[in-house]
Every structure is written in C-alpha cells, then in structure tokens.
Coordinates of all heavy atoms in Angstrom, one line a residue:
M1 N 163.6 121.5 79.5 CA 164.0 121.4 78.1 C 162.7 121.3 77.2 O 161.9 120.5 77.4 CB 164.9 120.2 77.9 CG 165.4 120.1 76.4 SD 166.4 118.6 76.4 CE 166.2 118.2 74.7
N2 N 162.6 122.1 76.2 CA 161.5 122.1 75.3 C 162.0 121.4 74.0 O 163.2 121.5 73.6 CB 161.1 123.4 74.9 CG 160.5 124.2 76.0 OD1 160.0 123.6 76.9 ND2 160.5 125.6 76.0
C3 N 161.1 120.7 73.4 CA 161.3 120.0 72.1 C 160.4 120.6 71.1 O 159.2 120.9 71.3 CB 161.1 118.6 72.2 SG 162.3 117.7 73.3
Y4 N 160.9 120.8 69.9 CA 160.1 121.3 68.8 C 160.1 120.4 67.6 O 161.2 119.9 67.2 CB 160.7 122.6 68.5 CG 160.3 123.3 67.2 CD1 159.2 124.0 67.1 CD2 161.0 123.2 66.1 CE1 158.7 124.6 66.0 CE2 160.6 123.8 64.8 CZ 159.5 124.5 64.8 OH 159.1 125.1 63.7
F5 N 158.9 120.2 67.0 CA 158.8 119.4 65.8 C 157.9 120.1 64.7 O 157.0 120.7 65.1 CB 158.2 118.0 66.0 CG 158.9 117.3 67.2 CD1 158.6 117.3 68.5 CD2 159.9 116.4 66.8 CE1 159.2 116.6 69.5 CE2 160.6 115.6 67.8 CZ 160.2 115.8 69.1
A6 N 158.3 120.0 63.5 CA 157.5 120.5 62.4 C 157.0 119.4 61.5 O 157.8 118.5 61.3 CB 158.2 121.5 61.6
F7 N 155.7 119.5 61.1 CA 155.1 118.5 60.2 C 154.7 119.1 59.0 O 154.2 120.3 59.0 CB 153.9 117.8 60.9 CG 154.3 117.2 62.1 CD1 154.4 117.8 63.4 CD2 154.7 115.7 62.1 CE1 154.6 117.0 64.5 CE2 155.0 115.1 63.2 CZ 155.1 115.7 64.4
R8 N 155.0 118.6 57.8 CA 154.7 119.2 56.5 C 154.0 118.4 55.6 O 154.2 117.1 55.6 CB 156.0 119.9 55.9 CG 157.0 118.8 55.5 CD 158.2 119.2 54.7 NE 158.6 120.6 55.2 CZ 159.2 121.4 54.5 NH1 159.6 121.1 53.2 NH2 159.6 122.6 54.9
R9 N 153.3 118.9 54.7 CA 152.8 118.3 53.6 C 153.6 118.8 52.3 O 154.4 118.2 52.0 CB 151.2 118.7 53.4 CG 150.5 118.1 52.3 CD 149.1 118.5 52.4 NE 148.4 118.0 51.3 CZ 147.1 118.4 50.9 NH1 146.5 119.2 51.7 NH2 146.6 117.8 49.8
I10 N 153.2 120.0 51.9 CA 154.3 120.7 51.0 C 155.0 121.7 51.8 O 156.1 121.9 51.6 CB 153.3 121.3 49.8 CG1 152.7 120.2 49.0 CG2 154.3 122.1 48.9 CD1 151.7 120.7 48.0
K11 N 154.1 122.4 52.6 CA 154.8 123.4 53.6 C 154.4 122.9 54.9 O 153.5 122.1 55.1 CB 154.1 124.8 53.3 CG 154.4 125.3 51.9 CD 153.7 126.7 51.9 CE 153.9 127.3 50.5 NZ 153.1 128.6 50.4
N12 N 155.0 123.5 55.9 CA 154.7 123.1 57.3 C 153.2 123.4 57.5 O 152.7 124.5 57.2 CB 155.5 123.9 58.3 CG 157.0 123.4 58.4 OD1 157.3 122.5 57.6 ND2 157.7 124.1 59.2
F13 N 152.4 122.5 58.1 CA 151.1 122.8 58.5 C 150.9 122.7 60.0 O 149.8 123.2 60.5 CB 150.2 121.8 57.8 CG 150.2 120.3 58.2 CD1 149.4 119.9 59.2 CD2 151.1 119.5 57.6 CE1 149.4 118.5 59.7 CE2 151.1 118.3 58.1 CZ 150.4 117.7 59.0
V14 N 151.8 122.2 60.7 CA 151.7 122.2 62.2 C 153.2 122.2 62.8 O 154.0 121.5 62.3 CB 150.9 121.1 62.8 CG1 151.5 119.7 62.5 CG2 150.6 121.3 64.3
C15 N 153.4 123.0 63.8 CA 154.6 123.0 64.5 C 154.2 122.6 65.9 O 153.3 123.2 66.4 CB 155.4 124.4 64.5 SG 155.9 124.8 62.9
L16 N 154.9 121.7 66.5 CA 154.5 121.1 67.8 C 155.7 121.4 68.8 O 156.9 121.2 68.5 CB 154.4 119.6 67.6 CG 154.3 118.8 69.0 CD1 153.0 119.1 69.7 CD2 154.5 117.3 68.7
E17 N 155.3 121.9 69.9 CA 156.3 122.3 71.0 C 156.0 121.5 72.1 O 154.7 121.6 72.6 CB 156.2 123.8 71.2 CG 157.4 124.4 71.9 CD 157.3 125.9 72.0 OE1 156.4 126.5 71.6 OE2 158.3 126.3 72.7
V18 N 156.8 120.7 72.7 CA 156.6 120.0 73.8 C 157.1 120.7 75.1 O 158.2 121.2 75.1 CB 157.3 118.5 73.7 CG1 157.1 117.8 74.9 CG2 156.9 117.8 72.5
K19 N 156.2 120.9 76.0 CA 156.4 121.7 77.2 C 156.3 120.8 78.4 O 155.3 120.8 79.1 CB 155.4 122.8 77.3 CG 155.5 123.8 76.2 CD 156.7 124.7 76.4 CE 156.4 126.0 75.7 NZ 157.4 127.0 76.1
P20 N 157.4 119.9 78.7 CA 157.2 119.0 79.8 C 157.0 119.5 81.2 O 156.4 119.0 81.9 CB 158.5 118.2 79.7 CG 159.5 119.0 78.9 CD 158.6 119.9 78.0
T21 N 157.6 120.8 81.3 CA 157.4 121.4 82.7 C 156.0 121.9 82.8 O 155.5 122.0 84.1 CB 158.4 122.6 82.9 OG1 158.1 123.5 81.9 CG2 159.8 122.1 82.9
L22 N 155.3 122.1 81.9 CA 153.8 122.6 82.0 C 152.8 121.4 81.7 O 151.6 121.5 81.8 CB 153.6 123.7 80.9 CG 154.4 124.9 81.1 CD1 154.0 125.9 79.9 CD2 154.2 125.6 82.4
D23 N 153.4 120.2 81.3 CA 152.5 119.0 80.9 C 151.5 119.4 79.8 O 150.4 119.0 79.8 CB 151.8 118.5 82.2 CG 152.6 117.8 83.2 OD1 153.7 117.2 82.7 OD2 152.3 117.8 84.4
V24 N 152.0 120.1 78.8 CA 151.1 120.3 77.6 C 151.9 120.2 76.3 O 153.2 120.3 76.3 CB 150.7 121.9 77.7 CG1 149.8 122.1 78.9 CG2 151.7 122.9 77.6
L25 N 151.3 120.1 75.3 CA 151.8 120.2 73.9 C 151.2 121.5 73.4 O 150.0 121.7 73.5 CB 151.4 119.0 73.1 CG 151.8 117.6 73.6 CD1 151.3 116.5 72.6 CD2 153.3 117.5 73.6
R26 N 152.0 122.2 72.7 CA 151.5 123.4 71.9 C 151.7 123.2 70.4 O 152.7 122.9 70.0 CB 152.3 124.6 72.4 CG 151.9 125.0 73.9 CD 151.5 126.4 74.0 NE 151.0 126.7 75.3 CZ 151.6 127.2 76.3 NH1 152.9 127.4 76.2 NH2 151.1 127.2 77.5
L27 N 150.5 123.4 69.8 CA 150.5 123.2 68.2 C 150.4 124.7 67.8 O 149.6 125.5 68.3 CB 149.2 122.5 67.8 CG 149.0 121.1 68.4 CD1 147.8 120.5 67.8 CD2 150.2 120.2 68.1
Y28 N 151.1 125.0 66.7 CA 151.0 126.3 65.9 C 150.5 125.8 64.6 O 151.2 125.2 63.8 CB 152.3 126.9 65.9 CG 152.8 127.4 67.4 CD1 153.5 126.5 68.1 CD2 152.2 128.4 67.9 CE1 153.9 126.9 69.4 CE2 152.6 128.9 69.2 CZ 153.4 128.0 69.9 OH 153.7 128.4 71.3
L29 N 149.4 126.4 64.3 CA 148.6 125.9 63.0 C 148.5 127.1 62.0 O 148.4 128.2 62.5 CB 147.2 125.4 63.3 CG 147.2 124.2 64.3 CD1 145.7 123.9 64.6 CD2 147.9 123.0 63.7
K30 N 148.6 126.7 60.8 CA 148.4 127.8 59.8 C 146.8 127.9 59.5 O 146.2 127.5 58.6 CB 149.0 127.4 58.4 CG 150.5 127.5 58.4 CD 151.0 127.3 57.1 CE 152.3 128.0 57.0 NZ 152.9 128.1 55.6
V31 N 146.2 128.5 60.5 CA 144.8 128.8 60.6 C 144.6 130.2 61.0 O 145.3 130.6 61.9 CB 143.9 127.9 61.5 CG1 142.5 128.3 61.7 CG2 144.1 126.4 61.1
D32 N 143.8 131.0 60.2 CA 143.6 132.4 60.6 C 142.8 132.4 61.9 O 141.7 132.0 62.0 CB 142.9 133.1 59.5 CG 142.7 134.6 59.7 OD1 142.9 135.1 60.9 OD2 142.1 135.3 58.8
P33 N 143.4 133.0 63.0 CA 142.7 133.0 64.2 C 141.4 133.8 64.2 O 140.5 133.6 65.0 CB 143.7 133.7 65.2 CG 145.0 133.7 64.5 CD 144.6 133.6 63.1
D34 N 141.2 134.8 63.3 CA 140.0 135.5 63.1 C 138.9 134.7 62.6 O 137.7 135.1 62.7 CB 140.2 136.7 62.2 CG 141.3 137.6 62.7 OD1 141.5 137.8 64.0 OD2 141.9 138.3 61.9
T35 N 139.2 133.5 62.2 CA 138.1 132.6 61.7 C 137.7 131.5 62.7 O 136.7 130.7 62.3 CB 138.5 131.9 60.4 OG1 139.6 131.0 60.7 CG2 138.9 132.9 59.3
V36 N 138.2 131.5 63.9 CA 138.0 130.6 64.9 C 137.4 131.3 66.1 O 138.0 132.3 66.5 CB 139.3 129.8 65.2 CG1 139.1 128.9 66.3 CG2 139.8 129.2 64.0
A37 N 136.5 130.6 66.8 CA 136.0 131.1 68.1 C 137.1 130.7 69.1 O 137.3 129.5 69.5 CB 134.7 130.5 68.5
L38 N 137.9 131.8 69.6 CA 139.0 131.4 70.5 C 138.5 131.0 71.9 O 137.6 131.7 72.3 CB 139.9 132.6 70.6 CG 140.7 133.0 69.3 CD1 141.4 134.3 69.5 CD2 141.4 131.9 68.7
E39 N 139.1 130.1 72.5 CA 138.7 129.5 73.9 C 139.9 129.7 74.8 O 141.0 129.1 74.5 CB 138.3 128.1 73.7 CG 137.1 127.8 72.9 CD 136.9 126.2 72.8 OE1 136.7 125.7 73.8 OE2 136.6 125.9 71.7
K40 N 139.7 130.4 75.8 CA 140.7 130.6 76.8 C 141.4 129.3 77.2 O 140.6 128.5 77.7 CB 140.3 131.5 78.0 CG 141.4 131.9 78.9 CD 140.8 132.9 79.9 CE 142.1 133.3 80.8 NZ 141.8 134.4 81.6
G41 N 142.6 129.3 77.2 CA 143.3 128.0 77.8 C 143.4 126.9 76.6 O 144.2 125.9 76.8
F42 N 142.8 127.1 75.5 CA 142.9 126.2 74.4 C 143.4 126.7 73.1 O 144.3 126.2 72.6 CB 141.4 125.6 74.2 CG 141.3 124.5 73.2 CD1 142.1 123.4 73.1 CD2 140.5 124.7 72.0 CE1 142.1 122.5 72.2 CE2 140.5 123.7 71.0 CZ 141.2 122.7 71.1
T43 N 142.8 127.8 72.7 CA 143.3 128.5 71.4 C 143.6 129.9 71.7 O 143.1 130.5 72.6 CB 142.2 128.4 70.3 OG1 141.0 128.9 70.8 CG2 142.1 127.0 69.8
R44 N 144.6 130.3 71.0 CA 145.1 131.7 71.2 C 145.6 132.3 69.9 O 146.3 131.6 69.1 CB 146.2 131.7 72.2 CG 146.7 133.1 72.6 CD 147.7 132.9 73.8 NE 149.0 132.5 73.5 CZ 150.1 133.1 73.7 NH1 150.1 134.3 74.4 NH2 151.2 132.5 73.5
N45 N 145.4 133.6 69.6 CA 145.9 134.3 68.4 C 147.4 134.7 68.8 O 147.6 135.4 69.7 CB 145.0 135.5 68.2 CG 145.6 136.3 67.0 OD1 146.7 136.2 66.6 ND2 144.7 137.2 66.5
V46 N 148.3 134.1 67.9 CA 149.7 134.5 68.1 C 150.3 135.2 66.9 O 151.5 135.2 66.6 CB 150.5 133.3 68.5 CG1 150.2 132.7 69.8 CG2 150.5 132.1 67.5
K47 N 149.4 135.9 66.1 CA 149.9 136.6 65.0 C 151.1 137.5 65.2 O 152.0 137.6 64.4 CB 148.8 137.4 64.4 CG 147.8 136.7 63.5 CD 146.9 137.7 62.7 CE 145.8 136.9 62.0 NZ 144.9 137.8 61.4
N48 N 150.9 138.3 66.3 CA 152.0 139.3 66.6 C 152.8 138.9 67.8 O 153.4 139.7 68.5 CB 151.3 140.7 66.8 CG 150.5 141.1 65.5 OD1 151.1 141.0 64.6 ND2 149.3 141.5 65.7
K49 N 152.9 137.6 68.1 CA 153.7 137.2 69.2 C 154.9 136.3 68.7 O 154.8 135.7 67.7 CB 152.9 136.1 70.2 CG 151.5 136.6 70.6 CD 151.7 137.5 71.8 CE 150.3 137.8 72.4 NZ 149.8 139.0 72.3
G50 N 156.0 136.3 69.4 CA 157.1 135.5 69.1 C 156.9 134.1 69.5 O 156.5 133.8 70.6
H51 N 157.2 133.2 68.6 CA 157.0 131.8 68.8 C 157.8 131.0 67.8 O 158.1 131.5 66.8 CB 155.5 131.2 68.9 CG 154.9 131.4 67.6 ND1 154.8 130.3 66.7 CD2 154.1 132.3 67.0 CE1 154.1 130.7 65.7 NE2 153.7 131.9 65.9
F52 N 158.1 129.7 68.1 CA 158.8 128.8 67.2 C 157.8 128.3 66.1 O 156.6 128.3 66.3 CB 159.3 127.6 67.8 CG 160.4 127.8 68.7 CD1 160.3 127.8 70.1 CD2 161.7 128.1 68.3 CE1 161.3 127.9 71.1 CE2 162.7 128.3 69.1 CZ 162.6 128.2 70.5
G53 N 158.3 128.2 65.0 CA 157.6 127.6 63.8 C 156.6 128.6 63.1 O 156.7 129.8 63.3
T54 N 155.7 128.0 62.4 CA 154.9 128.8 61.5 C 153.5 128.6 62.0 O 153.1 127.8 62.9 CB 154.9 128.2 60.1 OG1 154.6 126.7 60.1 CG2 156.2 128.4 59.4
G55 N 152.6 129.5 61.6 CA 151.2 129.5 62.0 C 150.8 130.6 63.0 O 151.7 131.0 63.8
D56 N 149.6 131.0 62.9 CA 149.1 132.1 63.6 C 148.2 131.7 64.8 O 147.7 132.5 65.5 CB 148.3 133.1 62.8 CG 149.3 133.9 61.9 OD1 150.5 134.0 62.2 OD2 148.9 134.3 60.8
L57 N 147.8 130.4 64.9 CA 146.9 129.9 65.8 C 147.6 128.9 66.7 O 148.2 128.0 66.3 CB 145.7 129.2 65.2 CG 144.6 128.7 66.2 CD1 143.9 129.8 66.8 CD2 143.6 127.8 65.4
E58 N 147.6 129.2 68.0 CA 148.3 128.3 69.0 C 147.1 127.5 69.6 O 146.1 128.0 70.0 CB 148.9 129.1 70.1 CG 149.5 128.3 71.2 CD 150.0 129.2 72.3 OE1 151.2 129.6 72.2 OE2 149.3 129.4 73.3
V59 N 147.3 126.2 69.7 CA 146.3 125.2 70.3 C 147.1 124.6 71.4 O 148.2 123.9 71.2 CB 145.7 124.2 69.3 CG1 144.9 123.3 70.0 CG2 145.1 125.0 68.1
T60 N 146.6 124.6 72.6 CA 147.2 124.0 73.8 C 146.5 122.7 74.0 O 145.2 122.7 74.3 CB 147.2 124.8 75.0 OG1 147.9 126.0 74.7 CG2 147.9 124.2 76.2
L61 N 147.3 121.6 74.1 CA 146.7 120.2 74.4 C 147.2 119.8 75.7 O 148.3 119.7 76.1 CB 147.2 119.2 73.3 CG 146.9 119.5 71.9 CD1 147.4 118.4 71.0 CD2 145.5 119.8 71.6
R62 N 146.2 119.4 76.6 CA 146.5 119.0 77.9 C 146.0 117.5 78.1 O 146.5 116.9 79.0 CB 145.7 119.8 78.9 CG 146.3 121.2 79.1 CD 145.6 122.0 80.2 NE 146.2 123.4 80.3 CZ 146.2 124.4 79.5 NH1 145.3 124.3 78.5 NH2 146.8 125.4 79.8
N63 N 145.2 117.0 77.2 CA 144.6 115.6 77.4 C 144.0 115.2 76.0 O 144.1 115.9 74.9 CB 143.6 115.6 78.4 CG 142.5 116.5 78.2 OD1 141.9 116.7 77.1 ND2 142.2 117.3 79.2
L64 N 143.6 114.0 75.9 CA 143.1 113.4 74.6 C 141.8 114.2 74.2 O 141.5 114.3 73.0 CB 142.8 112.0 74.8 CG 144.1 111.0 74.9 CD1 143.7 109.7 75.1 CD2 144.9 111.2 73.6
N65 N 141.0 114.7 75.2 CA 139.8 115.4 74.7 C 140.3 116.7 74.0 O 139.6 117.1 73.0 CB 139.0 115.8 75.9 CG 138.3 114.6 76.6 OD1 138.0 113.6 75.9 ND2 137.9 114.6 77.8
D66 N 141.3 117.4 74.4 CA 141.7 118.5 73.7 C 142.2 118.1 72.3 O 142.0 118.9 71.3 CB 143.0 119.2 74.5 CG 142.5 119.9 75.7 OD1 141.3 120.2 75.9 OD2 143.3 120.3 76.5
L67 N 142.9 117.0 72.1 CA 143.3 116.6 70.8 C 142.1 116.3 69.9 O 142.1 116.7 68.7 CB 144.1 115.2 70.9 CG 144.5 114.6 69.6 CD1 145.4 115.6 68.8 CD2 145.3 113.4 69.8
E68 N 141.1 115.7 70.4 CA 139.8 115.5 69.7 C 139.3 117.0 69.2 O 138.7 117.0 68.1 CB 138.8 114.7 70.4 CG 139.1 113.3 70.6 CD 139.3 112.6 69.2 OE1 138.5 112.8 68.3 OE2 140.2 111.7 69.1
R69 N 139.1 117.9 70.0 CA 138.7 119.2 69.6 C 139.6 119.9 68.7 O 139.2 120.7 67.9 CB 138.6 120.0 71.0 CG 137.6 119.6 72.0 CD 137.7 120.2 73.4 NE 137.8 121.7 73.3 CZ 138.3 122.5 74.2 NH1 138.9 122.0 75.3 NH2 138.3 123.8 74.1
A70 N 140.9 119.6 68.7 CA 141.8 120.3 67.8 C 141.8 119.7 66.4 O 142.2 120.3 65.5 CB 143.2 120.2 68.4
K71 N 141.4 118.4 66.3 CA 141.5 117.7 65.0 C 140.9 118.6 63.8 O 141.6 118.6 62.8 CB 140.9 116.3 65.1 CG 141.7 115.2 65.7 CD 141.0 113.9 65.7 CE 141.9 112.9 66.4 NZ 141.2 111.6 66.4
P72 N 139.7 119.1 63.9 CA 139.2 119.9 62.8 C 140.2 121.0 62.4 O 140.4 121.3 61.3 CB 137.9 120.4 63.2 CG 137.5 119.5 64.4 CD 138.7 119.1 65.0
L73 N 140.8 121.6 63.4 CA 141.7 122.8 63.2 C 143.0 122.2 62.5 O 143.6 122.9 61.5 CB 142.1 123.5 64.5 CG 140.9 124.2 65.2 CD1 141.4 124.6 66.6 CD2 140.4 125.3 64.4
I74 N 143.5 121.0 62.9 CA 144.7 120.4 62.3 C 144.3 120.1 60.8 O 145.2 120.3 60.0 CB 145.1 119.2 63.1 CG1 145.6 119.6 64.5 CG2 146.1 118.4 62.4 CD1 145.7 118.4 65.5
E75 N 143.2 119.6 60.6 CA 142.8 119.2 59.2 C 142.7 120.4 58.4 O 143.1 120.4 57.3 CB 141.4 118.5 59.2 CG 141.6 117.0 59.7 CD 140.3 116.3 60.0 OE1 139.2 117.0 59.8 OE2 140.3 115.2 60.4
T76 N 142.1 121.6 58.8 CA 142.1 122.8 58.1 C 143.5 123.3 57.8 O 143.7 123.7 56.6 CB 141.3 123.9 58.9 OG1 140.0 123.5 59.2 CG2 141.4 125.2 58.2
S77 N 144.3 123.2 58.7 CA 145.8 123.6 58.5 C 146.4 122.7 57.4 O 147.1 123.1 56.5 CB 146.5 123.6 59.8 OG 147.8 124.0 59.6
Y78 N 146.2 121.4 57.5 CA 146.8 120.4 56.6 C 146.3 120.7 55.1 O 147.0 120.7 54.3 CB 146.3 119.1 56.9 CG 146.8 117.9 56.1 CD1 148.1 117.5 56.2 CD2 146.0 117.4 55.1 CE1 148.6 116.5 55.3 CE2 146.4 116.4 54.2 CZ 147.7 115.9 54.4 OH 148.2 115.0 53.5
E79 N 145.0 121.0 55.0 CA 144.3 121.2 53.7 C 144.9 122.6 53.1 O 144.9 122.7 51.9 CB 142.8 121.3 53.8 CG 142.2 120.0 54.2 CD 142.5 118.9 53.1 OE1 142.5 119.1 51.9 OE2 142.7 117.6 53.5
S80 N 145.3 123.5 53.9 CA 145.7 124.8 53.3 C 147.2 124.7 52.9 O 147.8 125.7 52.4 CB 145.5 125.9 54.3 OG 146.3 125.8 55.4
S81 N 148.0 123.6 53.3 CA 149.4 123.6 53.0 C 149.7 123.0 51.7 O 149.0 122.3 51.1 CB 150.1 122.9 54.1 OG 149.8 121.5 54.1

C-alpha cells in the first residue's frame, strides 16, 4: 500500500509518496530538472512521466543523509510556490 501526502504554501510545493515495500520516500518537487545535476538513484526528471502530485523533479530518500542533500531542493520548491 502506498501513501501520498501533499504539502502547500500557496500552491503545492512537495508531494510525498511513501513506498513501504521499497523502504523509500519519494518527493516530487516544483523544481526544473534541467537546473539540477541529476544523480542516479537520488534525483530524476519526471516531466514526461506519470506520477502522483505536482512537480517535475523526483527525489528518492532512503536515509537521513538523503534528506540533508534534498533540503536545498525542497527550499527551492517552497520559495517558488
């Protein structure tokens, strides 16, 4: 079973998908993937992919270090909403 949550300021700035069978959290952020150095297994361009929620940048969190790495991207998404 997957769970999905959206967080908003004025508009949604992050959509969170909980993937318990994969032991990951997936964030979908309103960040242009063309402005980010994509890292395999961490960030992915989902502009033309089907997914829940808003945002074109997928960020996969597997541990607290990934969350720390994602914070600047989350802040960028928050500031643009």
Side-chain angles (χ1 to χ4, degrees):
M1 178 178 157
N2 294 335
C3 297
Y4 164 85
F5 304 92
F7 298 88
R8 67 176 30 207
R9 182 175 175 192
I10 296 169
K11 298 178 181 176
N12 289 358
F13 68 92
V14 63
C15 295
L16 168 71
E17 203 175 352
V18 180
K19 300 282 209 171
T21 58
L22 301 176
D23 286 333
V24 299
L25 300 176
R26 291 233 167 96
L27 306 178
Y28 296 94
L29 303 174
K30 285 190 158 185
V31 174
D32 183 353
D34 296 331
T35 64
V36 176
L38 299 177
E39 298 177 48
K40 186 174 181 165
F42 178 61
T43 51
R44 184 169 77 122
N45 180 343
V46 292
K47 276 186 185 178
N48 299 313
K49 309 272 192 257
H51 65 88
F52 289 109
T54 54
D56 292 331
L57 181 68
E58 177 186 275
V59 180
T60 300
L61 304 179
R62 290 180 173 81
N63 54 48
L64 288 175
N65 289 333
D66 287 345
L67 177 60
E68 288 301 317
R69 292 170 49 206
K71 280 183 181 179
L73 298 170
I74 297 167
E75 290 171 355
T76 298
S77 184
Y78 179 82
E79 292 301 323
S80 71
S81 68

